Amino acid sequence: MIPDIETKSAAEIEAFQEAKLKEALDYLSQNSPFYKRHFEQHSISISEIQTLEDLTKIPVTTKDDLQRFDDDFICVPKSKIIDYVTTSGTLGDPVTFALTDADLERLAYNEAISFACAGVKSEDVLQLMTTMDRRFMAGLAYFLGVRKLGAAIIRVGAGIPELQWDSILKFQPTYLIVVPSFLLKMIEYAQQHHIDLNSSGIKGAICIGEAFRNDDFSLNTLGQKITEHWQIDLFSTYASTEMSTAFTECEAQQGGHLHPELIITELLDEHNQPVKEGAIGELTITTLGVEAMPLLRFKTGDMMQAHHSPCQCGRTTLRLGPIAGRKKQMIKYKGTTLYPPAMENVLNNFNQLESFVIEISHNTIGTDEILIKIASNVPSESLLGQIKDHFRAKLRVTPKLEWCDKKEIDALRFPKLSRKPVLVIDKRK
């Protein structure tokens, strides 16, 4: 189930996207209060935007624009809206997104071809281990995509290893849709209750929300800890509410594939100009085929690298590598630039750690400070020293570390209305 456009040459894909871009610009100029104003304020004539390179003539759209002018992005009458979702608000106030029936159909198509990209077939059974409530787009998207693919889905929801294993043993799913660190809890429960992980029938896990690969696509510490016990394939998927599109790994597991019919991507530097090929930049997207709230040159805040070499799966589309970090969470610490995922990877090396949370703040002179709160049932000065040594070896700096009670950390990691664990608390203004 590879869409024909995903195997075309780079020139054919570019021409295809340029035609789609003209349609998107016409639609926005006619229907979007925000973009009508945007074009007028910046004296932009959309007829002059003929190529993907011409996009740089249009100022970018930011999360701040969405938060300030949310309703002005809606392009349809209220009577056409049939679903509302909200962003998770990781880097600011949540934003509401409206969807029409056509948008839900597009969402289903996106996830169906994304699951197929990872090797899921119509005869497979998937266990959904994320929430579908709390106005969460992802859970709904996964359900719609599996249904469109013709596969079966078991909606268990998040958490509770006992319930997850009960469903696995009872219904025998072949794939899990899951936050990867939760697989460690699944492994722990299985070992305690004498469940044979590798005869459970699970072939793979579609993983969301956390990185388990290094920049070269090898497994990082989290990925290694999962697969050393459970011999399943791990597939990375990157998506966001704003994009209404997913970048999912194929069976080659060398980055998430672009769907050219759904989205245009740019990687930009701090001056909003394209970075050189192979360099890390901020992912900036233009949605294609979205009816209610399409976005043009929207800066996602995610820093990553694109890979353009052909893939052994037959797709010729670009692939996005693991997220280096979020731009707003970049830390300048003792002369070193850090992103939280690098610190998480160091901490995941220590099985003795039960939980942790990273706090970023400004000190009295306005420079960045890092405090990592850690919990262990065997805290010791020796373990603390080992963690500090590992930080020095891997990142060249050692943040401040503080032993805390696990309940205190869990209260920070799982705020009441959050739909996913909070690993980073940024107190900087």
Side-chain angles (χ1 to χ4, degrees):
M1 189 180 172
I2 303 179
D4 190 46
I5 188 60
E6 298 191 22
T7 60
K8 298 293 187 183
S9 69
E12 288 173 305
I13 290 173
E14 186 170 342
F16 172 86
Q17 288 209 308
E18 287 172 349
K20 290 285 186 184
L21 175 61
K22 289 175 188 175
E23 293 174 14
L25 289 169
D26 286 340
Y27 184 81
L28 289 170
S29 67
Q30 293 172 37
N31 298 290
S32 171
F34 176 84
Y35 284 109
K36 281 183 191 177
R37 191 166 65 240
H38 196 61
F39 296 153
E40 288 172 8
Q41 287 175 345
H42 298 283
S43 302
I44 293 164
S45 171
I46 60 168
S47 63
E48 295 177 5
I49 311 301
Q50 296 291 320
T51 67
L52 298 185
E53 287 74 23
D54 289 340
L55 277 170
T56 56
K57 298 174 182 177
I58 304 173
V60 296
T61 304
T62 65
K63 288 181 187 283
D64 182 57
D65 292 325
L66 275 175
Q67 287 161 352
R68 291 171 61 205
F69 307 111
D70 201 0
D71 288 348
D72 287 352
F73 283 86
I74 297 176
C75 295
V76 296
K78 195 170 184 178
S79 58
K80 285 199 72 173
I81 297 170
I82 63 168
D83 192 60
Y84 290 95
V85 296
T86 51
T87 62
S88 58
T90 304
L91 296 178
D93 295 330
V95 174
T96 298
F97 268 78
L99 294 96
T100 65
D101 191 58
D103 291 334
L104 290 182
E105 180 57 32
R106 179 188 176 283
L107 207 56
Y109 169 80
N110 161 73
E111 289 299 345
I113 60 174
S114 295
F115 285 131
C117 190
V120 181
K121 298 179 173 57
S122 60
E123 56 266 29
D124 282 306
V125 179
L126 292 90
Q127 183 153 313
L128 180 59
M129 298 166 68
T130 68
T131 184
M132 282 186 66
D133 58 5
R134 302 185 188 179
R135 302 195 301 270
F136 190 38
M137 177 185 272
L140 174 64
Y142 298 138
F143 175 79
L144 294 173
V146 172
R147 187 168 177 265
K148 189 168 187 67
L149 186 62
I153 189 162
I154 307 159
R155 295 177 291 110
V156 181
I160 318 176
E162 182 179 4
L163 179 58
Q164 303 293 350
W165 274 114
D166 177 71
S167 288
I168 291 171
L169 298 174
K170 188 177 293 182
F171 302 114
Q172 299 183 311
T174 45
Y175 287 88
L176 307 175
I177 305 170
V178 62
V179 175
S181 60
F182 186 71
L183 290 173
L184 297 178
K185 290 184 170 59
M186 294 286 289
I187 291 167
E188 182 182 11
Y189 183 92
Q191 291 170 336
Q192 290 171 352
H193 294 82
H194 310 293
I195 297 169
D196 186 349
L197 288 159
N198 294 307
S199 65
S200 62
I202 301 297
K203 295 189 289 188
I206 313 296
C207 296
I208 64 167
E210 293 173 343
F212 58 84
R213 294 201 189 283
N214 297 308
D215 292 344
D216 63 357
F217 301 114
S218 61
L219 292 174
N220 66 13
T221 305
L222 175 59
Q224 290 171 11
K225 286 170 80 170
I226 294 166
T227 55
E228 70 184 2
H229 297 289
W230 205 349
Q231 287 145 29
I232 56 176
D233 285 321
L234 302 179
F235 296 94
S236 177
T237 183
Y238 165 72
S240 72
T241 302
E242 296 93 338
M243 297 193 302
S244 291
T245 309
F247 294 78
T248 303
E249 286 184 332
C250 68
E251 290 168 287
Q253 300 173 335
Q254 294 289 300
H257 279 279
L258 167 79
H259 302 312
E261 65 274 49
L262 299 179
I263 199 164
I264 294 169
T265 60
E266 303 171 79
L267 290 179
L268 303 182
D269 62 20
E270 57 188 10
H271 304 296
N272 295 329
Q273 293 300 309
V275 299
K276 293 180 180 178
E277 188 168 318
I280 290 175
E282 181 176 1
L283 180 67
T284 302
I285 57 95
T286 296
T287 55
L288 301 174
V290 172
E291 190 173 45
M293 289 183 68
L295 295 175
L296 175 65
R297 300 202 82 210
F298 174 73
K299 298 182 75 176
T300 64
D302 293 326
M303 306 298 291
M304 56 180 64
Q305 183 182 359
H307 302 267
H308 297 270
S309 57
C311 184
Q312 66 187 50
C313 72
R315 292 173 180 83
T316 53
T317 51
L318 72 79
R319 304 181 309 283
L320 294 179
I323 298 176
R326 293 186 181 273
K327 187 175 183 180
K328 282 191 177 180
Q329 290 180 343
M330 185 180 77
I331 308 159
K332 291 280 191 180
Y333 187 67
K334 297 180 180 178
T336 299
T337 298
L338 296 175
Y339 288 103
M343 292 186 279
E344 293 165 22
N345 197 33
V346 170
L347 294 164
N348 282 330
N349 277 279
F350 295 90
N351 294 327
Q352 305 97 314
L353 292 183
E354 295 180 287
S355 191
F356 63 83
V357 68
I358 300 166
E359 290 188 352
I360 314 166
S361 61
H362 278 150
N363 58 26
T364 53
I365 59 172
T367 57
D368 292 342
E369 287 289 346
I370 306 168
L371 169 63
I372 303 179
K373 296 183 175 180
I374 52 178
S376 172
N377 52 17
V378 287
S380 68
E381 284 302 313
S382 172
L383 176 57
L384 201 63
Q386 291 174 44
I387 298 171
K388 288 179 178 179
D389 287 345
H390 207 61
F391 266 105
R392 276 189 287 269
K394 294 292 183 180
L395 303 180
R396 302 192 303 278
V397 292
T398 306
K400 184 179 178 183
L401 298 163
E402 180 181 281
W403 290 117
C404 290
D405 184 76
K406 184 176 183 294
K407 288 181 180 177
E408 178 189 340
I409 295 176
D410 286 348
L412 295 170
R413 281 181 56 132
F414 301 98
K416 278 188 178 178
L417 296 179
S418 179
R419 299 180 305 214
K420 55 187 180 183
V422 175
L423 296 179
V424 182
I425 299 170
D426 195 340
K427 297 179 176 180
R428 297 173 296 183
K429 299 297 183 187

mmCIF file of all heavy atoms in Angstrom, residues 145-167:
data_model
loop_
_atom_site.group_PDB
_atom_site.id
_atom_site.type_symbol
_atom_site.label_atom_id
_atom_site.label_comp_id
_atom_site.label_asym_id
_atom_site.label_seq_id
_atom_site.Cartn_x
_atom_site.Cartn_y
_atom_site.Cartn_z
ATOM 1 N N GLY A 145 -7.306 5.201 11.350
ATOM 2 C CA GLY A 145 -6.358 4.654 10.395
ATOM 3 C C GLY A 145 -6.372 3.137 10.347
ATOM 4 O O GLY A 145 -6.336 2.537 9.265
ATOM 5 N N VAL A 146 -6.424 2.520 11.519
ATOM 6 C CA VAL A 146 -6.482 1.046 11.566
ATOM 7 C C VAL A 146 -7.754 0.557 10.891
ATOM 8 O O VAL A 146 -7.753 -0.412 10.125
ATOM 9 C CB VAL A 146 -6.406 0.546 13.030
ATOM 10 C CG1 VAL A 146 -6.669 -0.954 13.101
ATOM 11 C CG2 VAL A 146 -5.034 0.858 13.620
ATOM 12 N N ARG A 147 -8.853 1.267 11.151
ATOM 13 C CA ARG A 147 -10.140 0.897 10.554
ATOM 14 C C ARG A 147 -10.081 1.013 9.031
ATOM 15 O O ARG A 147 -10.557 0.134 8.313
ATOM 16 C CB ARG A 147 -11.222 1.803 11.128
ATOM 17 C CG ARG A 147 -12.644 1.460 10.752
ATOM 18 C CD ARG A 147 -13.626 2.244 11.617
ATOM 19 N NE ARG A 147 -14.996 1.984 11.232
ATOM 20 C CZ ARG A 147 -15.694 2.739 10.388
ATOM 21 N NH1 ARG A 147 -15.117 3.809 9.855
ATOM 22 N NH2 ARG A 147 -16.936 2.448 10.080
ATOM 23 N N LYS A 148 -9.467 2.097 8.533
ATOM 24 C CA LYS A 148 -9.368 2.290 7.088
ATOM 25 C C LYS A 148 -8.459 1.240 6.449
ATOM 26 O O LYS A 148 -8.707 0.781 5.331
ATOM 27 C CB LYS A 148 -8.854 3.696 6.758
ATOM 28 C CG LYS A 148 -8.929 4.036 5.272
ATOM 29 C CD LYS A 148 -8.688 5.496 5.017
ATOM 30 C CE LYS A 148 -8.946 5.857 3.546
ATOM 31 N NZ LYS A 148 -10.370 5.725 3.182
ATOM 32 N N LEU A 149 -7.424 0.849 7.168
ATOM 33 C CA LEU A 149 -6.517 -0.190 6.672
ATOM 34 C C LEU A 149 -7.204 -1.559 6.607
ATOM 35 O O LEU A 149 -6.777 -2.434 5.871
ATOM 36 C CB LEU A 149 -5.278 -0.258 7.575
ATOM 37 C CG LEU A 149 -4.135 -1.167 7.168
ATOM 38 C CD1 LEU A 149 -3.538 -0.748 5.824
ATOM 39 C CD2 LEU A 149 -3.044 -1.159 8.240
ATOM 40 N N GLY A 150 -8.261 -1.709 7.387
ATOM 41 C CA GLY A 150 -8.975 -2.981 7.406
ATOM 42 C C GLY A 150 -8.495 -3.929 8.480
ATOM 43 O O GLY A 150 -8.903 -5.089 8.539
ATOM 44 N N ALA A 151 -7.603 -3.439 9.352
ATOM 45 C CA ALA A 151 -7.107 -4.266 10.459
ATOM 46 C C ALA A 151 -8.043 -4.119 11.658
ATOM 47 O O ALA A 151 -8.982 -3.315 11.651
ATOM 48 C CB ALA A 151 -5.687 -3.840 10.823
ATOM 49 N N ALA A 152 -7.784 -4.902 12.699
ATOM 50 C CA ALA A 152 -8.599 -4.845 13.923
ATOM 51 C C ALA A 152 -7.864 -4.039 14.986
ATOM 52 O O ALA A 152 -6.634 -3.977 14.989
ATOM 53 C CB ALA A 152 -8.880 -6.256 14.432
ATOM 54 N N ILE A 153 -8.632 -3.423 15.890
ATOM 55 C CA ILE A 153 -8.012 -2.610 16.939
ATOM 56 C C ILE A 153 -8.673 -2.891 18.282
ATOM 57 O O ILE A 153 -9.897 -3.053 18.370
ATOM 58 C CB ILE A 153 -8.070 -1.108 16.585
ATOM 59 C CG1 ILE A 153 -7.219 -0.270 17.559
ATOM 60 C CG2 ILE A 153 -9.504 -0.598 16.513
ATOM 61 C CD1 ILE A 153 -6.883 1.112 17.054
ATOM 62 N N ILE A 154 -7.835 -2.970 19.319
ATOM 63 C CA ILE A 154 -8.310 -3.180 20.693
ATOM 64 C C ILE A 154 -8.007 -1.892 21.453
ATOM 65 O O ILE A 154 -6.843 -1.526 21.628
ATOM 66 C CB ILE A 154 -7.584 -4.365 21.363
ATOM 67 C CG1 ILE A 154 -7.689 -5.615 20.488
ATOM 68 C CG2 ILE A 154 -8.166 -4.640 22.746
ATOM 69 C CD1 ILE A 154 -6.630 -6.646 20.802
ATOM 70 N N ARG A 155 -9.048 -1.201 21.908
ATOM 71 C CA ARG A 155 -8.877 0.113 22.545
ATOM 72 C C ARG A 155 -8.747 -0.063 24.059
ATOM 73 O O ARG A 155 -9.733 -0.002 24.787
ATOM 74 C CB ARG A 155 -10.064 1.016 22.202
ATOM 75 C CG ARG A 155 -10.148 1.361 20.721
ATOM 76 C CD ARG A 155 -11.379 2.196 20.387
ATOM 77 N NE ARG A 155 -12.611 1.426 20.526
ATOM 78 C CZ ARG A 155 -13.516 1.620 21.486
ATOM 79 N NH1 ARG A 155 -13.322 2.555 22.400
ATOM 80 N NH2 ARG A 155 -14.598 0.891 21.537
ATOM 81 N N VAL A 156 -7.530 -0.259 24.511
ATOM 82 C CA VAL A 156 -7.305 -0.464 25.946
ATOM 83 C C VAL A 156 -7.056 0.862 26.660
ATOM 84 O O VAL A 156 -7.451 1.037 27.811
ATOM 85 C CB VAL A 156 -6.122 -1.436 26.183
ATOM 86 C CG1 VAL A 156 -5.914 -1.671 27.676
ATOM 87 C CG2 VAL A 156 -6.386 -2.754 25.473
ATOM 88 N N GLY A 157 -6.408 1.821 25.979
ATOM 89 C CA GLY A 157 -6.068 3.085 26.620
ATOM 90 C C GLY A 157 -4.726 3.004 27.315
ATOM 91 O O GLY A 157 -4.025 1.985 27.264
ATOM 92 N N ALA A 158 -4.362 4.096 27.989
ATOM 93 C CA ALA A 158 -3.023 4.210 28.559
ATOM 94 C C ALA A 158 -2.910 3.521 29.910
ATOM 95 O O ALA A 158 -3.877 3.396 30.646
ATOM 96 C CB ALA A 158 -2.660 5.690 28.698
ATOM 97 N N GLY A 159 -1.672 3.091 30.210
ATOM 98 C CA GLY A 159 -1.353 2.601 31.552
ATOM 99 C C GLY A 159 -1.852 1.196 31.868
ATOM 100 O O GLY A 159 -2.352 0.474 31.009
ATOM 101 N N ILE A 160 -1.694 0.809 33.131
ATOM 102 C CA ILE A 160 -2.177 -0.452 33.733
ATOM 103 C C ILE A 160 -1.616 -1.688 33.022
ATOM 104 O O ILE A 160 -2.287 -2.319 32.195
ATOM 105 C CB ILE A 160 -3.717 -0.541 33.776
ATOM 106 C CG1 ILE A 160 -4.316 0.802 34.193
ATOM 107 C CG2 ILE A 160 -4.156 -1.663 34.734
ATOM 108 C CD1 ILE A 160 -5.834 0.839 34.161
ATOM 109 N N PRO A 161 -0.372 -2.054 33.325
ATOM 110 C CA PRO A 161 0.233 -3.227 32.680
ATOM 111 C C PRO A 161 -0.622 -4.492 32.786
ATOM 112 O O PRO A 161 -0.689 -5.284 31.838
ATOM 113 C CB PRO A 161 1.565 -3.373 33.426
ATOM 114 C CG PRO A 161 1.903 -1.988 33.877
ATOM 115 C CD PRO A 161 0.581 -1.359 34.221
ATOM 116 N N GLU A 162 -1.268 -4.685 33.943
ATOM 117 C CA GLU A 162 -2.092 -5.895 34.117
ATOM 118 C C GLU A 162 -3.190 -5.979 33.066
ATOM 119 O O GLU A 162 -3.432 -7.031 32.465
ATOM 120 C CB GLU A 162 -2.701 -5.908 35.520
ATOM 121 C CG GLU A 162 -3.525 -7.162 35.792
ATOM 122 C CD GLU A 162 -4.116 -7.178 37.190
ATOM 123 O OE1 GLU A 162 -3.948 -6.190 37.935
ATOM 124 O OE2 GLU A 162 -4.757 -8.187 37.540
ATOM 125 N N LEU A 163 -3.879 -4.855 32.832
ATOM 126 C CA LEU A 163 -4.958 -4.834 31.840
ATOM 127 C C LEU A 163 -4.403 -5.006 30.427
ATOM 128 O O LEU A 163 -5.007 -5.694 29.586
ATOM 129 C CB LEU A 163 -5.731 -3.517 31.955
ATOM 130 C CG LEU A 163 -6.895 -3.314 30.969
ATOM 131 C CD1 LEU A 163 -7.927 -4.436 31.103
ATOM 132 C CD2 LEU A 163 -7.543 -1.953 31.202
ATOM 133 N N GLN A 164 -3.249 -4.395 30.158
ATOM 134 C CA GLN A 164 -2.636 -4.536 28.838
ATOM 135 C C GLN A 164 -2.304 -6.006 28.551
ATOM 136 O O GLN A 164 -2.597 -6.522 27.467
ATOM 137 C CB GLN A 164 -1.363 -3.680 28.738
ATOM 138 C CG GLN A 164 -1.554 -2.193 29.003
ATOM 139 C CD GLN A 164 -2.373 -1.471 27.958
ATOM 140 O OE1 GLN A 164 -2.683 -2.016 26.900
ATOM 141 N NE2 GLN A 164 -2.732 -0.232 28.242
ATOM 142 N N TRP A 165 -1.713 -6.669 29.545
ATOM 143 C CA TRP A 165 -1.350 -8.074 29.351
ATOM 144 C C TRP A 165 -2.585 -8.966 29.269
ATOM 145 O O TRP A 165 -2.606 -9.944 28.501
ATOM 146 C CB TRP A 165 -0.406 -8.544 30.461
ATOM 147 C CG TRP A 165 1.030 -8.247 30.135
ATOM 148 C CD1 TRP A 165 1.869 -7.387 30.778
ATOM 149 C CD2 TRP A 165 1.780 -8.814 29.045
ATOM 150 N NE1 TRP A 165 3.087 -7.359 30.162
ATOM 151 C CE2 TRP A 165 3.069 -8.232 29.103
ATOM 152 C CE3 TRP A 165 1.484 -9.722 28.042
ATOM 153 C CZ2 TRP A 165 4.068 -8.550 28.183
ATOM 154 C CZ3 TRP A 165 2.482 -10.041 27.119
ATOM 155 C CH2 TRP A 165 3.749 -9.461 27.195
ATOM 156 N N ASP A 166 -3.610 -8.633 30.014
ATOM 157 C CA ASP A 166 -4.858 -9.393 29.924
ATOM 158 C C ASP A 166 -5.392 -9.357 28.487
ATOM 159 O O ASP A 166 -5.817 -10.383 27.938
ATOM 160 C CB ASP A 166 -5.892 -8.813 30.899
ATOM 161 C CG ASP A 166 -7.228 -9.528 30.799
ATOM 162 O OD1 ASP A 166 -7.313 -10.692 31.240
ATOM 163 O OD2 ASP A 166 -8.197 -8.924 30.279
ATOM 164 N N SER A 167 -5.345 -8.167 27.866
ATOM 165 C CA SER A 167 -5.827 -8.037 26.489
ATOM 166 C C SER A 167 -4.916 -8.750 25.495
ATOM 167 O O SER A 167 -5.395 -9.365 24.540
ATOM 168 C CB SER A 167 -5.925 -6.547 26.113
ATOM 169 O OG SER A 167 -6.997 -5.934 26.780
#
